[in-house]
Amino acid sequence: MLSSVKTALALTVGGLALGLLGAATSATAADQIRTPVAGATADQASGAAAYTKYGRVTASTGVKIRSRATTYSGVLGSFYSGAKIALVCKVYGQDVDGNNIWYKLDHRSGWVTARYVKNLDYIPWCR
């Protein structure tokens, strides 16, 4: 009888451990999908605006990072083709091949033209 109680207890503890491990794995996967923005307030953290939005560079030659939303401004750097980049918001700027939308970068200063970046999330308008 003691053996069956130990077996039942072991199975219960093992099942509980696997259940907790599965929950932790699910939370980790969800955290990787949407990363909270550093410095977000409690009000922002509850809404979609508190999460980083992403875009992917579509130009085969990459895209330049500009200091303003125009090709006449200084180049601050660039992203390679296929790069996944963090975006904050969008504005109207200089027209580039029929597209006058520019994206503000999230983790550094600068702008990239939407002509060569496909948004992977909804990107709000800058205020």
Side-chain angles (χ1 to χ4, degrees), residues 30-120:
D31 290 343
Q32 291 175 355
I33 293 171
R34 308 209 101 178
T35 307
V37 175
T41 65
D43 292 337
Q44 292 171 330
S46 64
Y51 294 97
T52 302
K53 315 292 192 256
Y54 291 98
R56 181 149 334 260
V57 177
T58 60
S60 61
T61 57
V63 66
K64 292 179 181 173
I65 302 166
R66 299 285 184 166
S67 58
R68 294 185 6 227
T70 173
T71 59
Y72 297 112
S73 64
V75 176
L76 303 175
S78 63
F79 290 109
Y80 59 89
S81 179
K84 184 176 177 182
I85 57 177
L87 308 170
V88 174
C89 58
K90 61 187 172 185
V91 297
Y92 289 114
Q94 179 189 3
D95 185 287
V96 177
D97 291 335
N99 190 330
N100 64 350
I101 295 175
W102 287 71
Y103 295 126
K104 181 173 174 37
L105 298 176
D106 187 11
H107 299 296
R108 60 178 292 179
S109 62
W111 299 83
V112 291
T113 176
R115 171 64 181 92
Y116 301 116
V117 177
K118 175 183 168 63
N119 58 334
L120 302 177

Coordinates of all heavy atoms in Angstrom, one line a residue, residues 30-120:
A30 N 5.8 34.2 -25.4 CA 5.0 35.4 -25.6 C 5.8 36.7 -25.3 O 5.6 37.7 -26.0 CB 3.8 35.4 -24.6
D31 N 6.7 36.7 -24.4 CA 7.6 37.8 -24.1 C 8.4 38.1 -25.3 O 8.8 39.3 -25.6 CB 8.4 37.6 -22.9 CG 7.6 37.6 -21.6 OD1 6.5 38.1 -21.6 OD2 8.1 37.1 -20.6
Q32 N 8.8 37.1 -26.1 CA 9.7 37.3 -27.2 C 9.0 37.9 -28.4 O 9.6 38.6 -29.2 CB 10.4 36.0 -27.7 CG 11.4 35.5 -26.6 CD 11.9 34.1 -27.0 OE1 11.5 33.5 -28.0 NE2 12.8 33.7 -26.2
I33 N 7.7 37.8 -28.5 CA 6.9 38.3 -29.6 C 6.7 39.8 -29.4 O 6.9 40.6 -30.4 CB 5.5 37.6 -29.6 CG1 5.6 36.2 -30.0 CG2 4.6 38.3 -30.6 CD1 4.4 35.4 -29.8
R34 N 6.4 40.3 -28.2 CA 6.3 41.7 -28.0 C 7.1 42.2 -26.8 O 6.9 41.7 -25.7 CB 4.8 42.0 -27.7 CG 3.9 41.5 -28.8 CD 2.7 42.3 -29.0 NE 3.0 43.1 -30.1 CZ 2.2 43.9 -30.7 NH1 1.0 44.1 -30.1 NH2 2.5 44.6 -31.7
T35 N 8.0 43.0 -27.0 CA 8.9 43.5 -26.0 C 8.5 44.8 -25.4 O 8.3 45.8 -26.2 CB 10.4 43.7 -26.6 OG1 10.7 42.4 -27.2 CG2 11.3 44.0 -25.5
P36 N 8.2 45.0 -24.1 CA 7.8 46.3 -23.6 C 8.9 47.3 -23.8 O 10.1 47.1 -23.8 CB 7.7 46.0 -22.1 CG 7.5 44.5 -22.0 CD 8.3 43.9 -23.1
V37 N 8.4 48.5 -24.1 CA 9.3 49.6 -24.4 C 9.9 50.1 -23.0 O 9.2 50.3 -22.1 CB 8.5 50.8 -25.0 CG1 9.4 52.0 -25.2 CG2 8.0 50.4 -26.4
A38 N 11.2 50.3 -23.0 CA 11.8 50.8 -21.8 C 11.2 52.2 -21.4 O 11.1 53.0 -22.3 CB 13.3 50.9 -22.0
G39 N 10.9 52.4 -20.1 CA 10.4 53.7 -19.7 C 9.0 53.9 -19.9 O 8.5 55.0 -19.7
A40 N 8.2 52.8 -20.3 CA 6.8 53.0 -20.5 C 6.1 53.2 -19.2 O 6.5 52.6 -18.2 CB 6.2 51.7 -21.2
T41 N 5.1 54.0 -19.2 CA 4.3 54.3 -17.9 C 3.4 53.2 -17.7 O 3.1 52.3 -18.6 CB 3.6 55.6 -18.0 OG1 2.6 55.5 -19.1 CG2 4.5 56.8 -18.3
A42 N 2.7 53.1 -16.6 CA 1.7 52.0 -16.3 C 0.6 52.1 -17.2 O 0.1 51.1 -17.7 CB 1.3 52.2 -14.8
D43 N 0.1 53.3 -17.6 CA -1.0 53.5 -18.6 C -0.6 53.0 -19.9 O -1.3 52.3 -20.6 CB -1.4 55.0 -18.7 CG -2.0 55.5 -17.4 OD1 -2.5 54.6 -16.6 OD2 -2.0 56.7 -17.2
Q44 N 0.7 53.3 -20.3 CA 1.1 52.8 -21.7 C 1.3 51.3 -21.7 O 1.1 50.7 -22.7 CB 2.5 53.5 -22.0 CG 2.3 55.0 -22.3 CD 3.7 55.6 -22.4 OE1 4.7 55.2 -21.8 NE2 3.7 56.7 -23.2
A45 N 1.8 50.7 -20.5 CA 2.0 49.3 -20.5 C 0.8 48.5 -20.7 O 0.9 47.3 -21.2 CB 2.7 48.9 -19.2
S46 N -0.4 49.0 -20.4 CA -1.6 48.3 -20.6 C -2.1 48.3 -22.0 O -3.0 47.5 -22.4 CB -2.7 48.8 -19.6 OG -3.0 50.2 -20.0
G47 N -1.6 49.2 -22.8 CA -2.1 49.4 -24.2 C -1.1 48.9 -25.2 O 0.1 48.6 -24.9
A48 N -1.5 48.9 -26.5 CA -0.6 48.4 -27.6 C 0.6 49.4 -27.8 O 1.6 49.0 -28.2 CB -1.4 48.3 -28.8
A49 N 0.4 50.6 -27.4 CA 1.5 51.6 -27.6 C 2.7 51.3 -26.7 O 3.8 51.9 -27.0 CB 1.0 53.0 -27.3
A50 N 2.6 50.5 -25.7 CA 3.7 50.2 -24.8 C 4.6 49.1 -25.4 O 5.6 48.8 -24.7 CB 3.2 49.7 -23.5
Y51 N 4.4 48.6 -26.6 CA 5.2 47.6 -27.1 C 5.9 48.0 -28.4 O 5.4 48.8 -29.1 CB 4.3 46.3 -27.5 CG 3.8 45.7 -26.2 CD1 2.5 46.0 -25.8 CD2 4.5 44.9 -25.4 CE1 2.0 45.5 -24.6 CE2 4.0 44.3 -24.3 CZ 2.8 44.6 -23.9 OH 2.3 44.0 -22.7
T52 N 7.1 47.5 -28.6 CA 7.9 47.8 -29.7 C 7.2 47.2 -31.0 O 6.7 46.1 -31.0 CB 9.3 47.2 -29.6 OG1 9.9 47.7 -28.4 CG2 10.2 47.5 -30.8
K53 N 7.2 48.0 -32.0 CA 6.7 47.6 -33.3 C 7.9 47.4 -34.2 O 9.0 47.9 -34.1 CB 5.9 48.8 -34.0 CG 4.9 49.4 -33.0 CD 3.8 48.5 -32.6 CE 2.7 49.3 -31.9 NZ 2.6 49.2 -30.5
Y54 N 7.7 46.5 -35.2 CA 8.9 46.1 -36.1 C 8.6 46.3 -37.6 O 7.4 46.3 -38.0 CB 9.3 44.7 -35.8 CG 9.8 44.5 -34.5 CD1 9.1 44.0 -33.4 CD2 11.2 44.8 -34.2 CE1 9.6 43.8 -32.1 CE2 11.7 44.6 -33.0 CZ 11.0 44.1 -31.9 OH 11.5 44.0 -30.7
G55 N 9.6 46.5 -38.3 CA 9.6 46.5 -39.8 C 10.7 45.7 -40.3 O 11.7 45.4 -39.6
R56 N 10.7 45.3 -41.6 CA 11.8 44.5 -42.2 C 12.2 45.3 -43.5 O 11.4 45.7 -44.3 CB 11.3 43.1 -42.6 CG 12.4 42.3 -43.2 CD 12.4 40.9 -43.0 NE 11.7 40.3 -41.8 CZ 12.4 39.9 -40.7 NH1 13.7 40.1 -40.6 NH2 11.7 39.3 -39.8
V57 N 13.5 45.4 -43.6 CA 14.1 46.1 -44.7 C 13.9 45.3 -46.0 O 14.3 44.1 -46.0 CB 15.6 46.4 -44.5 CG1 16.3 47.1 -45.7 CG2 15.8 47.3 -43.3
T58 N 13.3 45.9 -47.0 CA 13.0 45.1 -48.3 C 14.0 45.4 -49.4 O 14.1 44.6 -50.3 CB 11.6 45.4 -48.7 OG1 11.5 46.8 -49.0 CG2 10.6 45.0 -47.7
A59 N 14.7 46.5 -49.3 CA 15.6 46.9 -50.4 C 16.8 45.9 -50.4 O 17.4 45.7 -49.4 CB 16.1 48.3 -50.3
S60 N 17.2 45.5 -51.6 CA 18.3 44.5 -51.7 C 19.7 45.2 -51.3 O 20.6 44.5 -50.8 CB 18.5 44.0 -53.1 OG 18.7 45.0 -54.0
T61 N 19.7 46.5 -51.4 CA 20.9 47.2 -51.0 C 20.9 47.7 -49.5 O 21.8 48.4 -49.1 CB 21.2 48.4 -51.9 OG1 20.1 49.2 -51.9 CG2 21.5 47.9 -53.3
G62 N 19.8 47.5 -48.8 CA 19.6 48.0 -47.5 C 18.9 49.4 -47.5 O 18.5 49.8 -48.5
V63 N 18.9 50.0 -46.3 CA 18.3 51.3 -46.2 C 19.1 52.2 -45.3 O 19.7 51.7 -44.3 CB 16.8 51.2 -45.7 CG1 16.8 50.7 -44.3 CG2 16.1 52.5 -45.8
K64 N 19.2 53.5 -45.7 CA 20.0 54.4 -44.9 C 19.2 55.0 -43.8 O 18.0 55.2 -43.9 CB 20.5 55.6 -45.8 CG 21.6 55.1 -46.8 CD 22.1 56.2 -47.7 CE 23.1 55.7 -48.6 NZ 23.4 56.7 -49.6
I65 N 19.8 55.3 -42.7 CA 19.2 55.9 -41.5 C 19.5 57.4 -41.7 O 20.7 57.8 -41.8 CB 19.8 55.4 -40.2 CG1 19.5 53.9 -40.1 CG2 19.1 56.1 -39.0 CD1 20.4 53.3 -38.9
R66 N 18.5 58.2 -41.7 CA 18.6 59.7 -41.9 C 18.3 60.4 -40.6 O 17.6 60.0 -39.7 CB 17.7 60.2 -43.0 CG 17.9 59.5 -44.3 CD 19.1 60.1 -45.0 NE 19.3 59.6 -46.3 CZ 20.1 60.1 -47.2 NH1 20.8 61.1 -46.9 NH2 20.3 59.5 -48.3
S67 N 18.9 61.6 -40.4 CA 18.7 62.4 -39.2 C 17.3 63.1 -39.2 O 16.8 63.4 -38.2 CB 19.8 63.5 -39.1 OG 19.8 64.3 -40.2
R68 N 16.7 63.2 -40.4 CA 15.3 63.8 -40.6 C 14.6 63.0 -41.7 O 15.2 62.2 -42.4 CB 15.4 65.3 -40.9 CG 16.0 66.1 -39.8 CD 15.9 67.6 -40.1 NE 15.3 68.1 -41.2 CZ 15.8 69.0 -42.1 NH1 17.0 69.5 -41.9 NH2 15.1 69.3 -43.2
A69 N 13.3 63.2 -41.8 CA 12.5 62.4 -42.8 C 12.7 63.0 -44.2 O 11.7 63.3 -44.9 CB 11.1 62.4 -42.4
T70 N 13.9 63.0 -44.7 CA 14.2 63.5 -46.0 C 15.6 62.9 -46.4 O 16.5 62.7 -45.6 CB 14.2 65.0 -46.1 OG1 14.7 65.4 -47.4 CG2 15.1 65.7 -45.0
T71 N 15.8 62.7 -47.7 CA 17.0 62.2 -48.2 C 18.1 63.3 -48.2 O 19.3 63.0 -48.5 CB 16.9 61.6 -49.6 OG1 16.4 62.6 -50.5 CG2 16.0 60.4 -49.6
Y72 N 17.7 64.5 -48.0 CA 18.6 65.6 -48.0 C 19.3 65.8 -46.6 O 20.3 66.5 -46.5 CB 17.9 67.0 -48.3 CG 17.4 67.0 -49.7 CD1 16.0 67.0 -50.0 CD2 18.2 66.9 -50.8 CE1 15.5 67.0 -51.2 CE2 17.7 66.9 -52.1 CZ 16.4 66.9 -52.3 OH 15.9 66.9 -53.6
S73 N 18.9 65.1 -45.6 CA 19.5 65.1 -44.3 C 20.6 64.2 -44.2 O 20.8 63.3 -45.0 CB 18.4 64.8 -43.2 OG 18.0 63.5 -43.3
G74 N 21.4 64.3 -43.1 CA 22.6 63.5 -42.9 C 22.3 62.0 -42.7 O 21.3 61.7 -42.2
V75 N 23.3 61.2 -43.2 CA 23.2 59.8 -43.0 C 23.8 59.4 -41.6 O 25.0 59.7 -41.4 CB 23.9 59.0 -44.1 CG1 23.9 57.5 -43.9 CG2 23.3 59.4 -45.5
L76 N 23.0 58.7 -40.8 CA 23.5 58.3 -39.5 C 24.0 56.9 -39.4 O 24.6 56.4 -38.5 CB 22.4 58.5 -38.4 CG 21.8 59.9 -38.3 CD1 20.6 59.8 -37.3 CD2 22.8 60.9 -37.9
G77 N 23.7 56.1 -40.5 CA 24.0 54.7 -40.5 C 23.2 54.0 -41.6 O 22.6 54.7 -42.4
S78 N 23.1 52.7 -41.5 CA 22.2 52.0 -42.4 C 21.8 50.6 -41.8 O 22.4 50.1 -40.8 CB 22.9 51.8 -43.7 OG 24.1 51.0 -43.5
F79 N 20.8 50.0 -42.4 CA 20.4 48.6 -42.1 C 20.6 47.8 -43.3 O 20.3 48.2 -44.4 CB 19.0 48.6 -41.6 CG 18.7 49.2 -40.3 CD1 18.0 50.4 -40.2 CD2 19.2 48.6 -39.1 CE1 17.8 51.0 -39.0 CE2 18.9 49.2 -37.9 CZ 18.2 50.4 -37.8
Y80 N 21.0 46.5 -43.2 CA 21.2 45.6 -44.3 C 19.8 45.1 -44.8 O 18.8 45.1 -44.1 CB 22.1 44.5 -44.0 CG 21.7 43.7 -42.8 CD1 20.9 42.5 -43.0 CD2 22.1 44.0 -41.5 CE1 20.4 41.8 -41.9 CE2 21.7 43.2 -40.4 CZ 20.8 42.1 -40.6 OH 20.4 41.4 -39.6
S81 N 19.8 44.5 -46.0 CA 18.6 43.9 -46.5 C 18.1 42.8 -45.6 O 18.9 42.0 -45.2 CB 18.9 43.4 -47.9 OG 17.7 42.8 -48.5
G82 N 16.8 42.8 -45.3 CA 16.3 41.7 -44.5 C 16.3 42.0 -43.0 O 15.8 41.2 -42.2
A83 N 17.0 43.1 -42.6 CA 17.1 43.4 -41.2 C 15.7 43.7 -40.6 O 14.9 44.3 -41.2 CB 18.0 44.6 -41.0
K84 N 15.5 43.2 -39.4 CA 14.3 43.4 -38.6 C 14.6 44.6 -37.7 O 15.5 44.5 -36.9 CB 13.8 42.2 -37.8 CG 12.5 42.4 -37.0 CD 12.2 41.1 -36.3 CE 10.9 41.3 -35.5 NZ 10.5 40.0 -34.8
I85 N 13.9 45.7 -37.9 CA 14.2 47.0 -37.1 C 13.0 47.4 -36.3 O 11.9 47.2 -36.6 CB 14.6 48.1 -38.1 CG1 13.6 48.4 -39.2 CG2 15.9 47.7 -38.8 CD1 13.9 49.5 -40.1
A86 N 13.3 48.0 -35.1 CA 12.3 48.5 -34.2 C 11.9 49.9 -34.6 O 12.7 50.8 -34.8 CB 12.9 48.5 -32.8
L87 N 10.6 50.1 -34.6 CA 10.0 51.4 -35.1 C 9.1 51.9 -34.0 O 8.5 51.2 -33.2 CB 9.2 51.2 -36.4 CG 10.0 50.5 -37.5 CD1 9.0 50.2 -38.6 CD2 11.1 51.4 -38.0
V88 N 9.0 53.3 -33.9 CA 8.2 53.9 -32.9 C 6.9 54.4 -33.6 O 5.8 54.1 -33.1 CB 8.9 55.1 -32.3 CG1 7.9 55.9 -31.4 CG2 10.1 54.7 -31.5
C89 N 7.0 55.2 -34.6 CA 5.8 55.8 -35.3 C 6.2 56.3 -36.7 O 7.3 56.1 -37.1 CB 5.4 57.0 -34.4 SG 6.7 58.3 -34.2
K90 N 5.2 56.9 -37.4 CA 5.5 57.3 -38.8 C 5.0 58.7 -39.0 O 4.1 59.2 -38.2 CB 4.7 56.3 -39.7 CG 3.2 56.3 -39.6 CD 2.6 55.2 -40.4 CE 1.1 55.0 -40.1 NZ 0.5 53.9 -40.8
V91 N 5.6 59.4 -40.0 CA 5.2 60.7 -40.3 C 5.2 60.8 -41.9 O 5.8 60.0 -42.5 CB 6.2 61.8 -39.8 CG1 6.2 61.8 -38.3 CG2 7.6 61.6 -40.3
Y92 N 4.7 62.0 -42.4 CA 4.8 62.3 -43.8 C 6.1 63.0 -43.9 O 6.4 63.9 -43.1 CB 3.7 63.1 -44.3 CG 2.4 62.4 -44.4 CD1 1.3 62.7 -43.6 CD2 2.2 61.4 -45.3 CE1 0.1 62.0 -43.7 CE2 1.0 60.7 -45.4 CZ 0.0 61.0 -44.6 OH -1.2 60.3 -44.7
G93 N 6.9 62.7 -44.9 CA 8.2 63.3 -45.2 C 8.4 63.4 -46.7 O 7.4 63.4 -47.5
Q94 N 9.6 63.5 -47.1 CA 10.0 63.5 -48.5 C 9.5 62.3 -49.2 O 9.6 61.2 -48.7 CB 11.5 63.7 -48.7 CG 11.9 63.7 -50.2 CD 13.4 63.6 -50.3 OE1 14.1 63.4 -49.4 NE2 13.8 63.7 -51.6
D95 N 8.9 62.5 -50.4 CA 8.5 61.4 -51.3 C 9.7 60.6 -51.8 O 10.6 61.2 -52.4 CB 7.7 61.9 -52.4 CG 7.1 60.9 -53.3 OD1 7.8 60.2 -54.0 OD2 5.8 60.7 -53.2
V96 N 9.7 59.3 -51.6 CA 10.8 58.4 -52.1 C 10.1 57.4 -53.0 O 9.4 56.5 -52.5 CB 11.6 57.8 -51.0 CG1 12.6 56.8 -51.6 CG2 12.2 58.8 -50.1
D97 N 10.3 57.5 -54.3 CA 9.7 56.6 -55.3 C 8.2 56.4 -55.1 O 7.7 55.3 -55.0 CB 10.4 55.3 -55.3 CG 11.8 55.3 -55.8 OD1 12.1 56.3 -56.6 OD2 12.6 54.5 -55.5
G98 N 7.4 57.5 -54.9 CA 6.0 57.4 -54.7 C 5.5 57.1 -53.3 O 4.3 57.0 -53.0
N99 N 6.4 57.1 -52.3 CA 6.0 56.8 -50.9 C 6.5 57.9 -50.0 O 7.8 58.1 -50.0 CB 6.5 55.4 -50.4 CG 6.0 55.0 -49.1 OD1 5.6 55.8 -48.3 ND2 5.9 53.7 -48.9
N100 N 5.7 58.7 -49.4 CA 6.1 59.8 -48.6 C 6.0 59.5 -47.1 O 6.0 60.5 -46.3 CB 5.3 61.1 -48.9 CG 3.9 61.0 -48.6 OD1 3.4 59.9 -48.3 ND2 3.2 62.1 -48.7
I101 N 6.0 58.3 -46.7 CA 5.9 57.9 -45.2 C 7.3 57.6 -44.8 O 8.1 56.9 -45.5 CB 4.9 56.8 -45.0 CG1 3.5 57.3 -45.3 CG2 5.0 56.3 -43.5 CD1 2.4 56.2 -45.2
W102 N 7.7 58.0 -43.6 CA 8.9 57.7 -42.9 C 8.7 57.2 -41.5 O 7.8 57.6 -40.9 CB 9.8 59.0 -42.8 CG 10.4 59.4 -44.2 CD1 9.7 60.0 -45.2 CD2 11.7 59.4 -44.6 NE1 10.5 60.3 -46.2 CE2 11.8 59.9 -45.9 CE3 12.9 58.9 -44.0 CZ2 12.9 60.0 -46.6 CZ3 14.1 59.0 -44.7 CH2 14.1 59.5 -46.0
Y103 N 9.5 56.2 -41.1 CA 9.4 55.6 -39.8 C 10.5 56.1 -38.9 O 11.7 56.2 -39.2 CB 9.6 54.1 -39.9 CG 8.5 53.4 -40.6 CD1 8.8 52.6 -41.7 CD2 7.1 53.6 -40.3 CE1 7.8 51.9 -42.4 CE2 6.1 52.9 -41.0 CZ 6.4 52.1 -42.1 OH 5.5 51.5 -42.8
K104 N 10.1 56.5 -37.6 CA 11.1 56.9 -36.6 C 11.6 55.6 -35.9 O 10.8 54.7 -35.6 CB 10.4 57.8 -35.6 CG 11.3 58.3 -34.5 CD 10.5 59.3 -33.6 CE 11.2 59.8 -32.4 NZ 12.6 60.0 -32.4
L105 N 12.9 55.5 -35.7 CA 13.5 54.3 -35.1 C 13.3 54.3 -33.6 O 13.2 55.4 -33.0 CB 15.0 54.3 -35.4 CG 15.3 54.1 -36.9 CD1 16.8 54.2 -37.1 CD2 14.7 52.9 -37.5
D106 N 13.2 53.1 -33.1 CA 12.9 53.0 -31.6 C 14.1 53.1 -30.8 O 14.2 53.9 -29.8 CB 12.2 51.7 -31.4 CG 11.7 51.6 -29.9 OD1 11.7 52.5 -29.2 OD2 11.3 50.5 -29.6
H107 N 15.1 52.3 -31.0 CA 16.3 52.2 -30.1 C 17.4 53.1 -30.4 O 18.5 52.9 -29.8 CB 16.7 50.7 -30.0 CG 15.7 49.8 -29.6 ND1 15.1 49.9 -28.3 CD2 15.0 48.8 -30.2 CE1 14.2 49.0 -28.1 NE2 14.1 48.3 -29.3
R108 N 17.3 54.0 -31.3 CA 18.3 55.0 -31.7 C 17.7 56.1 -32.4 O 16.5 56.0 -32.8 CB 19.4 54.3 -32.5 CG 18.9 53.8 -33.8 CD 20.0 53.2 -34.6 NE 20.9 54.2 -35.1 CZ 22.0 54.0 -35.8 NH1 22.3 52.8 -36.2 NH2 22.8 55.0 -36.2
S109 N 18.4 57.2 -32.6 CA 17.8 58.4 -33.3 C 17.9 58.1 -34.8 O 18.8 57.4 -35.2 CB 18.6 59.7 -32.9 OG 19.9 59.6 -33.3
G110 N 16.9 58.6 -35.5 CA 17.0 58.5 -36.9 C 15.6 58.1 -37.5 O 14.7 57.7 -36.8
W111 N 15.6 58.2 -38.9 CA 14.4 57.9 -39.6 C 14.8 57.0 -40.8 O 15.9 57.1 -41.3 CB 13.8 59.2 -40.2 CG 13.4 60.1 -39.1 CD1 14.1 61.0 -38.4 CD2 12.1 60.2 -38.6 NE1 13.4 61.7 -37.5 CE2 12.1 61.3 -37.6 CE3 10.8 59.6 -38.9 CZ2 11.0 61.6 -36.9 CZ3 9.7 60.0 -38.2 CH2 9.8 61.0 -37.2
V112 N 13.9 56.2 -41.3 CA 14.1 55.4 -42.5 C 12.8 55.5 -43.3 O 11.7 55.7 -42.8 CB 14.3 53.9 -42.2 CG1 15.6 53.6 -41.5 CG2 13.2 53.3 -41.4
T113 N 13.0 55.5 -44.6 CA 11.9 55.7 -45.5 C 11.0 54.4 -45.6 O 11.6 53.3 -45.6 CB 12.3 56.1 -47.0 OG1 11.2 56.1 -47.8 CG2 13.3 55.1 -47.5
A114 N 9.7 54.5 -45.6 CA 8.8 53.4 -45.6 C 8.9 52.7 -47.0 O 8.4 51.6 -47.2 CB 7.4 53.8 -45.3
R115 N 9.5 53.4 -48.0 CA 9.6 52.8 -49.4 C 10.4 51.5 -49.3 O 10.1 50.6 -50.1 CB 10.2 53.9 -50.3 CG 10.6 53.3 -51.7 CD 9.3 52.9 -52.4 NE 9.6 52.4 -53.7 CZ 9.8 51.1 -54.0 NH1 9.8 50.2 -53.1 NH2 10.1 50.7 -55.3
Y116 N 11.3 51.4 -48.4 CA 12.2 50.3 -48.4 C 12.1 49.5 -47.1 O 12.9 48.7 -46.8 CB 13.6 50.7 -48.6 CG 13.8 51.4 -49.9 CD1 14.2 52.7 -50.0 CD2 13.6 50.7 -51.1 CE1 14.4 53.3 -51.2 CE2 13.7 51.3 -52.3 CZ 14.1 52.6 -52.4 OH 14.2 53.3 -53.6
V117 N 11.0 49.7 -46.3 CA 10.7 49.0 -45.1 C 9.3 48.5 -45.1 O 8.4 49.3 -45.2 CB 11.0 49.9 -43.8 CG1 10.7 49.1 -42.6 CG2 12.5 50.3 -43.8
K118 N 9.1 47.2 -44.9 CA 7.7 46.7 -44.8 C 7.4 46.6 -43.3 O 8.1 46.0 -42.5 CB 7.7 45.3 -45.4 CG 6.3 44.6 -45.2 CD 6.4 43.2 -45.7 CE 5.3 42.3 -45.4 NZ 4.0 42.5 -45.7
N119 N 6.3 47.2 -42.9 CA 5.9 47.2 -41.5 C 5.4 45.8 -41.1 O 4.5 45.3 -41.8 CB 4.9 48.3 -41.1 CG 3.7 48.3 -41.9 OD1 3.6 47.9 -43.0 ND2 2.6 48.9 -41.3
L120 N 5.8 45.2 -40.0 CA 5.4 43.9 -39.6 C 4.3 44.0 -38.5 O 3.6 43.0 -38.2 CB 6.6 43.1 -39.0 CG 7.7 42.9 -40.0 CD1 8.9 42.2 -39.3 CD2 7.3 42.1 -41.2

